[in-house]
Amino acid sequence: MDLKIADIQAGDVLLCYSRMTAEEETATGTGYSHTAIALAGERVLEASNEGVQVVSVGRLLEDYDHIAVLRELGTNELWGEATLNSLEEFAVQATGKRFNQTGLVRFPARRESNRNNLMERVHGYFEGTTREIPSIRGVYFCSELITAVFIHVGIIEQSAAVVFTPETFSPSDIAKDKVFGFFCGYVKSTSSYVVPDGDFFKSNI
């Protein structure tokens, strides 16, 4: 389903696709190489090479061919006034933070390590020996930022945050996990653009 920029709601997760970056390691499995989260007023919070910043949806579409929009079911409950206020507060605190280039490079190894000691960390949480997962960080890469947002606003609680460790999630991981929402449509860079037939969401809905 095609959406307009005006259809995007605060709290929507935006997954960005470009033919030029579809083969990058963090895009493996879906082709989506970047992710951001929508704020009110057609604004977007993202972490890019320029750091964490608030831009317009239109600005994203200058760099990507299309955006897949993920939305939480029961959005009115999950993204109520208090949650949206927390999102805006997070955006203020995170804006200007540096891009986590080192974390992005180390991401594959960290994800593998995260999977290998998952049950140990879960047990540690309930035994009180696993530290809390911080949402406010000094640096972020794009999917690290989105996962941190969901922890910060409470959609991912600390009991689950030991599984959803921000520095181990890629855009493709977010695309595949319903915790971040369900696909509700595409926003395209131009009216004539056609989403590829092999797009992840065309094949998995």
Side-chain angles (χ1 to χ4, degrees):
M1 177 174 64
D2 289 346
L3 301 173
K4 298 178 180 178
I5 289 177
D7 294 325
I8 294 174
Q9 299 177 10
D12 287 350
V13 172
L14 309 181
L15 289 160
C16 304
Y17 176 93
S18 168
R19 289 184 178 89
M20 293 180 64
T21 58
E23 301 301 321
E24 290 183 353
E25 187 164 8
T26 56
T28 301
T30 67
Y32 287 89
S33 60
H34 184 61
T35 186
I37 190 163
L39 306 173
E42 300 181 4
R43 297 172 300 137
V44 169
L45 180 69
E46 67 161 354
S48 67
N49 289 332
E50 289 76 32
V52 180
Q53 58 187 347
V54 175
V55 299
S56 67
V57 179
R59 174 67 183 82
L60 276 186
L61 289 170
E62 292 177 11
D63 295 331
Y64 295 93
D65 299 326
H66 71 263
I67 293 170
V69 180
L70 303 186
R71 183 169 296 161
E72 296 283 348
L73 295 179
T75 297
N76 291 338
E77 298 175 11
L78 288 174
W79 289 103
E81 182 178 359
T83 314
L84 290 174
N85 287 341
S86 183
L87 171 60
E88 290 287 349
E89 291 167 1
F90 179 93
V92 170
Q93 293 181 64
T95 297
K97 301 286 188 182
R98 292 182 295 108
F99 182 69
N100 189 4
Q101 184 65 48
T102 301
L104 186 62
V105 171
R106 294 178 178 174
F107 153 77
R110 284 178 171 171
R111 180 168 64 174
E112 186 65 23
S113 175
N114 184 65
R115 289 174 175 170
N116 291 338
N117 65 19
L118 177 60
M119 293 311 300
E120 177 184 336
R121 288 182 293 106
V122 170
H123 289 309
Y125 173 81
F126 289 104
E127 293 168 359
T129 58
T130 298
R131 66 177 179 84
E132 287 198 349
I133 304 299
S135 59
I136 301 299
R137 296 159 176 249
V139 292
Y140 298 91
F141 56 81
C142 67
S143 42
E144 179 180 18
L145 178 74
I146 303 313
T147 311
V149 166
F150 273 65
I151 294 171
H152 185 82
V153 304
I155 293 176
I156 296 175
E157 297 182 354
Q158 274 297 326
S159 58
V162 294
V163 177
F164 292 90
T165 310
E167 64 269 22
T168 66
F169 265 69
S170 70
S172 284
D173 293 324
I174 288 174
K176 297 173 184 177
D177 200 311
K178 297 300 187 289
V179 166
F180 297 96
F182 292 78
F183 173 75
C184 65
Y186 299 106
V187 179
K188 303 188 301 184
S189 53
T190 65
S191 58
S192 60
Y193 172 80
V194 177
V195 175
D197 288 337
D199 183 81
F200 174 78
F201 293 103
K202 284 189 174 182
S203 305
N204 290 275
I205 57 172

